[in-house]
Amino acid sequence: MAFRSIAAIGSLVFLLFVSSSQAQTLRVGMTTTDLPTTGGIPDNGSEGGRFAGYTMYDALVNWDFTKVDKSADLTPGLATEWKVDPADPQTWIFTIRQGVKFHDGSVLTADDIIWNFDRHLNDKAPNYDRAQAGSYRNYTSQVDKYWKIDDTHIALHTKVPYSVLPYMISRVFIVSPTQYRKIGNWLDFQANPSGTGPFKVEKINPHVSIDLVRNDDYWDKTRIPKLKKLILMPIPDANTRVAALRSGQVDWIEYPAPDSIPSLKAAGFQVVTKPYPHVWAWQYNTTEKSAFHDKRVRLALNYALDRDGMVELLGGTAKPSIGFYDKESKYFGKPSVIFNYDPEKAKALLKEAGYGPGGKKLDITVQLPTAGSGNMVPLPMGEVVQQNLRDVGVNLTYEVVDWGTMLSSLRQPPGAPNTPHRDGIAHGLPLGDPTNFYNEFTSMAFAPSGSNWSLYKNEKVDELSRKAFETFDPAERDRLIAEAHTIVVDDAAWLFVVHDLNPRALGKNVVGFVQAQSWYQDFTQLTVKD
């Protein structure tokens, strides 16, 4: 908790030196506990990708923010097109965009793309990033080999036919080999990074701010930023973020404290919300050493939750979650179990599983973050869950940690050496593409190779997911994912809590922001008035 306070205070001290009338400068208060890393493998979860990824870098495949009436999908990035080799469904061919310049002035080549994949996948390469390569297992886990075809084409070969590969590699940001060779190591590269994105780093103030400036030479002329400068600051405490916005020290905050929203609106601040793919949930430990190995216990906790009460706590900035996907999603399916608030049913299920009066006492330990990417306001939310479970006889103890520590925990599955016992991990995550389901619920994606920390395994889910991601027919893929999701809900694989509505608060001086239905957002089209 001391770390949270230091980060927040440090940000505000810095802000005192930034003129609130500085033209065309947008100052953003992030929810992260520290600055995301800037070397092309941003930490701090998907919020790191939002602010220290797509602002500074491009991937072969980017996100399209122009169609805001539906969930964002993919658009060409550093690849102008991609296709599956007709002779081999496991080989993808990417056409490399010509004439793109890195921030250091060097010109992007096909060799540079191969060099970047070496950074993550080739432990014999001189530029292999031993410290951070593990962070990208989720995004490159299906890539078996890769090679340069010619000066304008490269190939990625997958371990099995994998139709959603473009979604996975949308987070593989491309950095400048020329800049790396000049600097000589990845640690110092963080201080002087070079990508191809619409903003470039001007200065990094450790633990305080990242100062970005407009890249006037950006290859996509429609997305050369209208802003001159973008300043990113970690302010993990929601109330501190609100205070910074009210005092004019920042122009934009991620996730304002819910109880502040009415007064912010009354004072003329812009509060923007929009549904997008996201869930705040618990990943259950489903191994035999946890009570959640028993489906009845997993079901019981889902019935014990007062989700409407949670939405009320959040000031209407969320929707109840009864599955990984929202019930309006094409992936939701037709589960037979619908999780309503039913404490008596929860108690009956717990009694059937041997817990409660006349049986064992159910004591569980769950890791909870203090703040961070997609985590909303986790401490008050955690208190609501704790009270709901206490009402049905469950004693819940939280292991409260910062977001960076939790990300490390998620890479160490239950039972890993030197890892304390946890019955669950509570956190929020965006679900912007279909690979999220594969990574969270299949045994092929057990941590640390994927995101399935729970070690949840259902053979039918595995089979359906495998078929879904091997088919190149989008409609059939969606049908199969929905069928697999139906099983996950009926199996109560996780404790599903709420879906976030992506709230953010902007000053009156911020003009032209249109929120996309995505975790990621486009900062290139907005302006800030004097």
Side-chain angles (χ1 to χ4, degrees):
M1 299 295 287
F3 181 71
R4 289 176 64 218
S5 300
I6 291 169
I9 292 168
S11 295
L12 292 178
V13 168
F14 172 76
L15 285 169
L16 294 175
F17 297 95
V18 181
S19 169
S20 62
S21 63
Q22 190 172 4
Q24 288 306 299
T25 295
L26 178 70
R27 299 157 301 163
V28 175
M30 303 179 291
T31 71
T32 58
T33 53
D34 202 352
L35 297 177
T37 50
T38 53
I41 302 183
D43 62 2
N44 277 279
S46 293
E47 190 162 6
R50 177 194 287 160
F51 288 114
Y54 291 107
T55 53
M56 310 174 196
Y57 298 99
D58 294 295
L60 286 171
V61 181
N62 286 347
W63 288 94
D64 182 1
F65 301 118
T66 62
K67 301 176 181 65
V68 296
D69 58 338
K70 59 183 180 180
S71 292
D73 212 328
L74 301 179
T75 192
L78 297 181
T80 57
E81 61 179 359
W82 51 91
K83 62 182 180 181
V84 176
D85 186 341
D88 179 5
Q90 290 174 242
T91 299
W92 289 78
I93 299 171
F94 293 81
T95 302
I96 306 306
R97 191 178 297 277
Q98 301 299 293
V100 175
K101 288 185 178 181
F102 288 102
H103 299 154
D104 57 67
S106 59
V107 178
L108 174 75
T109 68
D111 291 303
D112 294 338
I113 304 297
I114 299 302
W115 185 93
N116 271 270
F117 275 89
D118 279 345
R119 177 187 184 182
H120 311 125
L121 295 172
N122 183 2
D123 61 5
K124 302 296 189 297
N127 65 309
Y128 181 67
D129 192 343
R130 297 186 184 280
Q132 298 189 88
S135 301
Y136 263 45
R137 287 182 179 137
N138 287 354
Y139 310 115
T140 55
S141 62
Q142 289 298 319
V143 178
D144 181 35
K145 51 187 175 180
Y146 48 94
W147 62 92
K148 173 183 172 182
I149 299 173
D150 55 39
D151 287 344
T152 56
H153 297 87
I154 63 107
L156 301 179
H157 187 271
T158 56
K159 297 173 182 177
V160 296
Y162 197 68
S163 64
V164 289
L165 178 71
Y167 288 100
M168 291 193 78
I169 62 170
S170 66
R171 271 287 295 270
V172 179
F173 299 119
I174 304 302
V175 310
S176 167
T178 298
Q179 183 78 342
Y180 174 81
R181 294 184 186 111
K182 176 182 176 182
I183 293 172
N185 66 82
W186 286 116
L187 182 60
D188 291 334
F189 184 88
Q190 302 274 351
N192 293 283
S194 175
T196 63
F199 293 92
K200 51 189 178 181
V201 172
E202 179 184 58
K203 183 180 180 183
I204 298 173
N205 302 284
H207 311 299
V208 174
S209 74
I210 303 170
D211 295 6
L212 303 175
V213 293
R214 177 169 63 207
N215 177 12
D216 289 310
D217 293 326
Y218 188 52
W219 56 268
D220 185 349
K221 302 309 177 187
T222 68
R223 294 189 64 241
I224 293 176
K226 296 177 181 178
L227 293 169
K228 290 182 180 179
K229 197 167 186 176
L230 177 62
I231 300 177
L232 308 172
M233 288 149 290
I235 309 178
D237 180 71
N239 290 314
T240 306
R241 288 195 299 275
V242 170
L245 180 65
R246 285 185 179 280
S247 64
Q249 295 171 327
V250 295
D251 312 291
W252 170 308
I253 59 172
E254 296 292 288
Y255 213 95
D259 59 3
S260 73
I261 289 176
S263 62
L264 285 173
K265 288 181 177 179
F269 291 98
Q270 306 173 65
V271 178
V272 186
T273 61
K274 181 173 282 188
Y276 79 114
H278 172 279
V279 67
W280 198 94
W282 285 10
Q283 289 198 43
Y284 285 137
N285 173 351
T286 62
T287 67
E288 292 183 3
K289 293 186 177 181
S290 172
F292 297 133
H293 185 67
D294 190 326
K295 176 181 174 180
R296 294 168 297 184
V297 180
R298 302 197 302 268
L299 284 165
L301 267 63
N302 272 289
Y303 284 114
L305 277 188
D306 180 4
R307 294 173 177 82
D308 291 335
M310 182 72 80
V311 170
E312 184 177 352
L313 167 79
L314 297 171
T317 63
K319 297 170 62 177
S321 170
I322 55 175
F324 185 67
Y325 292 111
D326 181 73
K327 62 183 179 181
E328 305 300 326
S329 169
K330 63 183 178 180
Y331 300 130
F332 186 74
K334 298 178 180 179
S336 60
V337 173
I338 302 298
F339 295 120
N340 58 312
Y341 179 43
D342 193 339
E344 295 308 312
K345 188 169 186 175
K347 290 177 184 177
L349 283 162
L350 289 169
K351 183 177 180 180
E352 185 180 328
Y355 297 99
K360 298 175 291 184
K361 186 177 181 181
L362 181 54
D363 292 295
I364 56 175
T365 300
V366 172
Q367 193 173 80
L368 180 74
T370 55
S373 174
N375 285 307
M376 308 172 74
V377 283
L379 298 181
M381 293 170 72
E383 290 176 1
V384 170
V385 176
Q386 192 174 45
Q387 182 59 56
N388 285 168
L389 298 189
R390 187 180 296 122
D391 290 343
V392 297
V394 177
N395 181 41
L396 166 60
T397 300
Y398 283 120
E399 176 193 353
V400 179
V401 298
D402 68 79
W403 182 224
T405 299
M406 176 169 284
L407 288 172
S408 297
S409 298
L410 287 166
R411 299 183 190 112
Q412 300 297 320
N418 303 315
T419 301
H421 174 79
R422 301 182 183 100
D423 295 290
I425 293 183
H427 69 106
L429 70 159
L431 320 172
D433 65 72
T435 65
N436 296 115
F437 184 86
Y438 180 95
N439 276 324
E440 303 294 348
F441 294 106
T442 71
S443 65
M444 296 83 81
F446 278 171
S449 298
S451 302
N452 187 351
W453 176 86
S454 297
L455 301 185
Y456 171 78
K457 180 177 174 62
N458 181 296
E459 291 185 1
K460 185 64 174 176
V461 170
D462 281 354
E463 177 188 358
L464 290 166
S465 298
R466 191 178 292 109
K467 288 180 178 178
F469 295 115
E470 287 182 359
T471 182
F472 289 85
D473 178 348
E476 176 65 3
R477 180 194 68 201
D478 295 349
R479 184 191 71 79
L480 290 164
I481 294 173
E483 188 175 343
H485 182 259
T486 295
I487 296 171
V488 162
V489 175
D490 286 345
D491 213 14
W494 284 12
L495 179 67
F496 306 111
V497 185
V498 291
H499 300 293
D500 185 17
L501 295 183
N502 217 5
R504 43 181 52 94
L506 321 179
K508 305 171 190 177
N509 57 339
V510 179
V511 179
F513 174 65
V514 180
Q515 185 152 293
Q517 290 189 38
S518 171
W519 173 256
Y520 306 113
Q521 299 293 325
D522 188 3
F523 297 94
T524 68
Q525 302 303 299
L526 57 88
T527 59
V528 178
K529 295 188 296 185
D530 289 343

